[in-house]
């Protein structure tokens, strides 16, 4: 299939472009390169445009005979979304709306949306399954939830068949070493720990040591980026077989605390970098662990890199080989 991948030059998008090519699809990345890196496409075709540029998107969908869209292009920082909600609604909600318009106009039906565990907010039951009520607690989570609902409404009125993939904590890097994480501003735990190991940061800050968890730090479910890429390919098959408006949680079902991750990063890097205990970061739920039973049962998803050691090791290999990212 010819697949338009918005945000294809970004972290998860680029790993998915690589996976799509591996299994014989033909991805076309659409990325304005504000956040993405052309080098991350490894030669796959790029249309340099914003997802809000409806005319360009519609033209590409028609001219390239695109059959499916994977929509990654979005802002993804919780803290930034609290400070700049309008930018988040503009990019994440209006971007999805313009893309949906173009899909309907061009007759593209298959649609996979990058969604997030952030749609659940702070549920009191773990692990989190898809029946858990969606009560996002920050603008980022709300924009993802609105995007899902918008697409479900469009699906009810047209032939669009959207699938919603709710990632837990995306982490790790391409096991072949060709791709990795290179964000404008890095705030995610594993990269921050590894940058401390490389001496690029003075220490790793641990935000909060007084949570009601085994060691007082937050607990997260880390899912390898290549396993997320696999799930996108499977979601495409699910939509092609008639699936529509179904949400799938993507995680490994095992929680690791921030302190455990710091220990793993020290062990794998061999660097005993300093850790600074700090206050809680606003908006952080204490525990987020996925039940991905539905993805396993209905998509046939089998994470191949579910082990935390492997997640941290592949990320470490990337950061060690590319201390300045794609530059
Ligand atoms: N953390 C630290 N120190 C750091 C960075 C993070 O202690 O330097 C902690 C955070 O406070 C949090 C945990 O590590 O407790 C994980 O933080 P990340 O920033 O790595 O990830 P989040 O869980 O905040 O966010 C991720 C995705 C979001 C998504 C969210 C779903 O990055 O896009 O999961 O809840 F919205």
């Amino acid at each position: 299939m010819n697949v338009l991948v918005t945000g294809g030059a970004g972290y998860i998008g680029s790993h998915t472009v690589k996976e799509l090519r591996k299994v014989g699809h033909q991805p076309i990345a659409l990325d304005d390169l504000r956040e993405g890196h052309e080098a991350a496409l490894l030669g796959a075709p790029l249309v340099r445009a914003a997802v809000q540029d409806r005319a360009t998107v519609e033209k590409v969908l028609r001219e390239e005979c695109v059959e499916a869209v994977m929509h990654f292009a979005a802002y993804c920082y919780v803290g930034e979304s609290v400070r700049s909600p309008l930018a988040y609604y503009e990019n994440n909600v209006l971007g999805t709306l313009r893309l949906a318009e173009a899909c309907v106009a061009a007759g593209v039906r298959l649609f996979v949306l990058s969604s997030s565990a952030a749609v659940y907010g702070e549920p009191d039951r773990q692990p989190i399954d898809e029946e858990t009520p969606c009560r996002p607690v920050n603008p980022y989570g709300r924009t993802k939830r609105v995007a899902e609902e918008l697409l479900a409404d469009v699906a009810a009125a047209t032939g669009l068949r959207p699938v919603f993939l709710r990632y837990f904590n995306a982490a790790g890097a391409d096991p072949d070493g060709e791709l990795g994480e290179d964000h404008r501003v890095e705030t995610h735990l594993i990269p921050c720990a590894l940058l401390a190991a490389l001496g690029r940061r003075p220490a790793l800050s641990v935000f909060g040591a007084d949570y009601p968890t085994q060691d007082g730090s937050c607990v997260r479910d880390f899912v390898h980026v290549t396993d997320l890429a696999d799930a996108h390919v499977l979601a495409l098959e699910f939509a092609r077989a008639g699936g529509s408006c179904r949400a799938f949680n993507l995680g490994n079902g095992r929680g690791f605390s921030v302190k455990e991750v710091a220990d793993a990063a020290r062990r794998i890097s061999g660097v005993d970098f300093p850790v600074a205990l700090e206050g809680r970061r606003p908006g952080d739920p204490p525990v987020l662990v996925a039940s991905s039973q539905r993805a396993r049962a209905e998509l046939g998803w089998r994470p191949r890199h579910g082990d935390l050691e492997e997640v941290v090791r592949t990320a470490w290999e990337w950061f060690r080989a590319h201390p300045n990212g794609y530059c």
Side-chain angles (χ1 to χ4, degrees):
M1 272 191 271
N2 292 348
V3 184
L4 187 77
V5 183
T6 78
Y11 172 47
I12 308 173
S14 60
H15 285 78
T16 304
V17 164
K18 181 172 174 175
E19 199 59 34
L20 284 165
R21 291 168 94 188
K22 209 188 255 181
V23 299
H25 293 302
Q26 292 187 1
I28 301 153
L30 183 109
D31 202 304
D32 60 8
L33 301 183
R34 264 186 301 178
E35 310 267 340
H37 307 275
E38 192 166 358
L41 290 170
L42 305 175
L46 167 70
V47 176
R48 190 169 178 174
V51 75
Q52 290 89 341
D53 179 353
R54 170 161 168 204
T56 300
V57 174
E58 191 179 327
K59 187 163 172 277
V60 175
L61 294 177
R62 289 184 192 281
E63 286 180 357
E64 302 293 334
C65 301
V66 168
E67 290 169 79
V69 166
M70 293 188 175
H71 181 31
F72 294 92
Y75 291 146
C76 66
Y77 299 105
V78 170
E80 187 180 70
S81 78
V82 175
R83 294 188 297 277
S84 308
L86 287 171
Y88 272 67
Y89 279 88
E90 199 274 335
N91 201 27
N92 298 4
V93 174
L94 194 58
T96 304
L97 185 148
R98 292 283 173 252
L99 182 60
E101 282 177 344
C103 287
V104 171
V108 175
R109 286 165 179 254
L110 312 184
F111 195 112
V112 182
L113 174 72
S114 246
S115 187
S116 169
V119 301
Y120 295 114
E122 301 190 11
D124 37 39
R125 210 161 35 90
Q126 304 283 338
I128 301 167
D129 65 22
E130 294 84 354
E131 301 306 321
T132 305
C134 290
R135 297 198 189 100
V137 293
N138 51 56
Y140 169 69
R142 278 189 280 276
T143 62
K144 287 291 176 182
R145 183 62 185 142
V146 172
E148 289 183 357
E149 291 182 317
L150 181 161
L151 291 171
D153 285 340
V154 175
T158 69
L160 193 75
R161 297 212 289 273
V163 180
F164 314 128
L165 298 183
R166 295 175 177 163
Y167 321 147
F168 281 63
N169 287 63
D174 173 28
D176 303 336
E178 291 185 310
L179 303 171
E181 198 164 358
D182 181 3
H183 286 121
R184 170 174 50 102
V185 183
E186 194 48 80
T187 64
H188 292 131
L189 176 61
I190 292 175
C192 287
L194 297 176
L195 290 170
L198 282 172
R200 305 286 300 243
R201 298 193 174 191
L204 172 69
S205 301
V206 171
F207 298 129
D210 58 349
Y211 284 99
T213 58
Q214 73 264 23
D215 62 18
S217 64
C218 286
V219 169
R220 292 290 183 272
D221 184 340
F222 297 90
V223 53
H224 197 281
V225 63
T226 300
D227 289 331
L228 293 180
D230 279 350
H232 284 77
V233 174
L234 295 167
L236 198 58
E237 296 307 323
F238 176 84
R240 181 148 73 169
S244 180
C245 293
R246 195 86 169 134
F248 295 97
N249 288 348
L250 299 176
N252 285 302
R254 282 197 309 277
F256 292 94
S257 74
V258 171
K259 288 181 182 172
E260 285 175 324
V261 171
D263 287 345
R266 281 172 156 164
R267 202 168 50 246
I268 287 161
S269 65
V271 182
D272 193 18
F273 56 83
V275 166
L277 297 184
E278 296 189 15
R280 293 182 178 197
R281 195 174 69 174
D284 277 342
V287 182
L288 288 174
V289 177
S291 162
S292 297
Q293 289 312 315
R294 182 186 284 181
R296 289 165 188 268
E298 297 183 23
L299 300 181
W301 185 56
R302 300 277 175 277
R304 288 179 289 155
H305 313 281
D307 182 46
L308 180 68
E309 298 285 315
E310 192 177 348
V311 168
V312 176
R313 187 178 48 73
T314 54
W316 172 241
E317 281 163 6
W318 163 260
F319 278 107
R320 201 174 39 172
H322 304 86
N324 299 311
Y326 285 101
C327 302

